[in-house]
């Protein structure tokens, strides 16, 4: 039997494996071939199954990231990459992957402003800004502002806004790393404009107003608004976090860039991969001279974004509604209709499933406390682990001893893919082969 196992060189000439070499690289394909040959030597597959087994072992892409279906009910799930890009943004990234005019004026043949069309699109969306700039993430935007405006000086910030962001990163540590000193004012639950005014002096770099984003303080509270701070004689930097550019009817308490600038903020910083629904990047919007000085700061070169991010950002700003925007405004009745249909189809296959009403959240540090009515498929708890390692990975959540697959963040066009994953990922089945080309 071992003599009948195909040689590696012959297998690599097989058209489908040869095409895989062009797509994934020879090293990856050879590793899959050798793994399949070893299975044949051990007798777990027949020699004539080596080629098919090697194809099944190949990853979907040359990268290590695995696409998943987000059925957690968290629209902007940080562990799943936050905002999914729109089809327009994905197409823009693909087109920008080769040589582009990112810093070249094709009409004159001379160097041009980097990402000028993306910056123009951002400026158009926030007309209250005198100028705009983009760096590689939201934290970088704040670091650039702190370094340029307050290195060796003081940043005044409320004690109630000394937040911790994801993975244990704390705002005070981030700001102090720039060489600035923090001047805390007020208390955890109450800070007034007078608290800020009382400590402003010649050493003040700026007043920082931070949106708590991932938590809420209720009860006996008070927070000074940007409009109250704008007249204190020093720049006000508003870190709104979630990237909402203008007011949104579904999120009336979420701060947005346009409102903060019109209230008097000299600078607004935000993330691009949250409520904006775009790629990971940091947005800086505000006073024209201030933003331009930040863009020319030496640190800005280390924090700049690449052409793929610029392409995705522009398409997000100018293209159709993003998946995040659609998920945020989906009619709960429509979600329940989808859940009922899917549950009926799966129950007909003998699966213990039912449609249930549930509650989704925005996530990603946006709109804390906002509950989004939703609908889900309710399955036995063991399905949670089985679906995560299935041929089509699906990430849900556990609630009251059941695995819920919340549909609010699942595009309707993925419903059949979701149903297929449930059918093939029976509890206890463990890991499965990589998706086939048709499934991908």
């Amino acid at each position: 039997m071992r003599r009948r196992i195909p040689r590696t060189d012959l297998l690599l000439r097989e058209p489908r494996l040869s095409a895989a070499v062009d797509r994934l690289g020879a090293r990856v394909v050879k590793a899959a071939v050798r793994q399949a040959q070893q299975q044949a030597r051990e007798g777990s597959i027949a020699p004539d199954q080596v080629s098919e087994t090697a194809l099944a072992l190949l990853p979907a892409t040359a990268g290590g990231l695995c696409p998943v279906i987000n059925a957690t009910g968290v629209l902007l799930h940080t562990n799943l990459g936050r905002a999914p890009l729109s089809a327009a943004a994905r197409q823009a990234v693909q087109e920008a992957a080769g040589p582009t005019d990112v810093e070249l004026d094709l009409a004159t043949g001379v160097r041009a402003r980097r990402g000028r069309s993306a910056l123009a699109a951002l400026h158009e969306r926030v007309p209250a800004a005198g100028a705009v700039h983009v760096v590689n993430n939201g934290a970088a935007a704040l670091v650039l502002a702190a370094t340029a405006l307050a290195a060796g000086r003081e940043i005044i910030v409320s004690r109630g806004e000394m937040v911790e962001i994801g993975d244990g990163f704390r705002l005070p540590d981030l700001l102090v790393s720039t060489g600035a000193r923090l001047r805390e004012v007020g208390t955890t639950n109450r800070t007034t404009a007078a608290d800020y005014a009382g400590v402003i002096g010649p050493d003040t770099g700026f007043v920082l107003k931070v949106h708590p984003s991932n938590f809420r303080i209720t009860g006996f509270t008070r927070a000074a608004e940007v409009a109250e701070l704008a007249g204190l004689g020093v720049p006000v930097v508003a870190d709104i976090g979630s990237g909402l550019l203008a007011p949104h009817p579904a999120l009336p308490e979420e701060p947005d860039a346009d409102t903060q600038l019109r209230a008097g903020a000299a600078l607004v910083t935000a993330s691009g991969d949250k409520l904006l629904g775009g790629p990971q990047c940091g947005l800086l919007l505000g006073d024209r001279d201030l933003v331009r000085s930040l863009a020319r700061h030496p640190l800005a070169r280390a924090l700049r974004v690449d052409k793929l991010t610029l392409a995705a950002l522009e398409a997000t700003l100018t293209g159709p509604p993003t998946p995040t925007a659609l998920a945020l405004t989906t009619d709960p009745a429509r979600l329940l209709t989808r859940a009922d249909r899917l549950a009926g189809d799966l129950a007909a296959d003998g699966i213990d499933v039912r449609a249930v009403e549930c509650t989704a959240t925005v996530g990603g540090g946006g709109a804390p406390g906002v509950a989004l009515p939703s609908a889900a498929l309710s399955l036995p708890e063991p399905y949670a682990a089985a679906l995560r390692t299935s041929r089509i990975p699906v990430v849900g959540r556990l609630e009251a001893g059941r695995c819920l697959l919340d549909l609010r963040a699942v595009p309707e066009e993925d419903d059949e893919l979701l149903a297929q994953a449930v059918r093939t990922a029976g509890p206890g089945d463990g890991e499965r082969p990589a998706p086939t080309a048709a499934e991908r």
Side-chain angles (χ1 to χ4, degrees):
M1 181 178 290
R2 291 194 174 197
R3 294 192 185 98
R4 302 206 319 268
I5 297 174
R7 298 199 322 257
T8 301
D9 60 335
L10 294 178
L11 286 166
L12 293 176
R13 292 176 198 164
E14 197 268 333
R16 291 177 298 172
L17 287 170
S18 177
V21 170
D22 296 335
R23 181 169 58 89
L24 302 172
R27 184 184 62 82
V28 173
V29 178
K30 283 182 180 179
V33 166
R34 287 167 182 158
Q35 188 176 346
Q37 289 171 327
Q38 183 60 32
Q39 291 183 24
R41 293 187 188 99
E42 295 170 351
S44 57
I45 62 172
D48 60 2
Q49 294 178 311
V50 170
S51 178
E52 289 292 337
T53 301
L55 285 166
L57 290 169
L58 291 174
T61 67
L65 298 179
C66 182
V68 304
I69 294 177
N70 176 14
T72 62
V74 180
L75 273 55
L76 302 170
H77 200 301
T78 298
N79 301 144
L80 300 181
R82 292 184 180 163
L85 294 180
S86 66
R90 297 183 192 194
Q91 179 64 30
V93 169
Q94 184 175 353
E95 292 174 354
T100 70
D101 62 342
V102 63
E103 285 188 33
L104 178 67
D105 186 331
L106 295 175
T108 62
V110 300
R111 187 170 187 156
R113 186 185 183 193
R114 182 181 180 85
R116 55 202 175 279
S117 59
L119 295 173
L122 178 59
H123 200 177
E124 185 176 350
R125 289 283 299 273
V126 190
V132 301
H133 186 61
V134 180
V135 291
N136 58 10
N137 62 29
L142 196 53
V143 162
L144 179 58
T147 302
L149 299 177
R153 305 178 70 192
E154 287 186 347
I155 299 173
I156 303 175
V157 60
S158 168
R159 288 187 173 89
E161 297 173 5
M162 304 282 277
V163 301
E164 178 178 309
I165 57 179
D167 200 25
F169 289 96
R170 295 179 172 178
L171 182 68
D173 298 337
L174 188 72
L175 294 172
V176 169
S177 73
T178 68
R181 301 187 304 275
L182 297 186
R183 185 68 178 267
E184 302 175 28
V185 297
T187 63
T188 301
N189 59 317
R190 290 181 66 83
T191 305
T192 67
D195 292 324
Y196 295 88
V199 299
I200 288 177
D203 228 16
T204 301
F206 62 87
V207 167
L208 176 61
K209 178 68 179 170
V210 181
H211 177 47
S213 72
N214 55 6
F215 72 93
R216 297 179 70 187
I217 299 177
T218 60
F220 186 58
T221 63
R222 174 75 164 87
E225 301 298 331
V226 167
E228 300 178 80
L229 304 175
L232 297 180
V234 294
V236 177
V237 176
D239 178 25
I240 63 172
S242 64
L244 199 61
L245 299 185
H248 194 293
L251 307 171
E253 297 183 12
E254 189 72 7
D256 65 273
D258 187 73
T259 299
Q260 298 299 303
L261 290 170
R262 294 184 188 279
L267 182 71
V268 169
T269 63
S271 295
D273 58 344
K274 295 182 180 179
L275 286 172
L276 179 60
Q280 177 179 296
C281 59
L283 312 179
L284 297 105
L285 314 101
D287 177 81
R288 182 181 65 177
D289 293 338
L290 173 57
V291 172
R292 288 182 177 177
S293 69
L294 295 178
R296 297 305 304 168
H297 191 278
L299 185 59
R301 179 63 175 79
L303 302 177
R304 79 177 189 180
V305 294
D306 70 335
K307 61 182 180 178
L308 303 183
T309 301
L310 289 168
L313 176 62
E314 183 175 358
T316 298
L317 293 164
T318 62
T322 66
T324 299
L326 294 174
L328 190 60
T329 57
T330 296
D331 182 1
R334 179 60 184 169
L335 294 173
L336 188 56
T337 298
R338 289 169 55 192
D340 284 334
R341 179 180 54 78
L342 286 168
D345 292 345
L346 293 169
D349 294 333
I351 296 172
D352 175 11
V353 59
R354 59 180 181 268
V356 297
E357 296 184 30
C358 61
T359 301
T361 59
V362 173
V370 173
L372 302 172
S374 190
L377 298 178
S378 174
L379 295 157
E381 182 174 340
Y383 269 90
L387 283 166
R388 285 198 311 272
T389 55
S390 69
R391 183 184 293 273
I392 306 165
V394 179
V395 183
R397 71 175 186 267
L398 294 177
E399 195 170 290
R402 300 280 289 183
C403 170
L404 295 191
L405 304 182
D406 193 308
L407 297 182
R408 185 170 273 274
V410 179
E412 189 165 352
E413 58 267 26
D414 286 349
D415 280 0
E416 184 49 43
L417 202 61
L418 179 65
Q420 183 181 348
V422 173
R423 291 188 183 100
T424 58
D429 285 358
E431 295 188 5
R432 295 179 177 273
T436 65
E439 290 167 338
R440 290 195 294 268

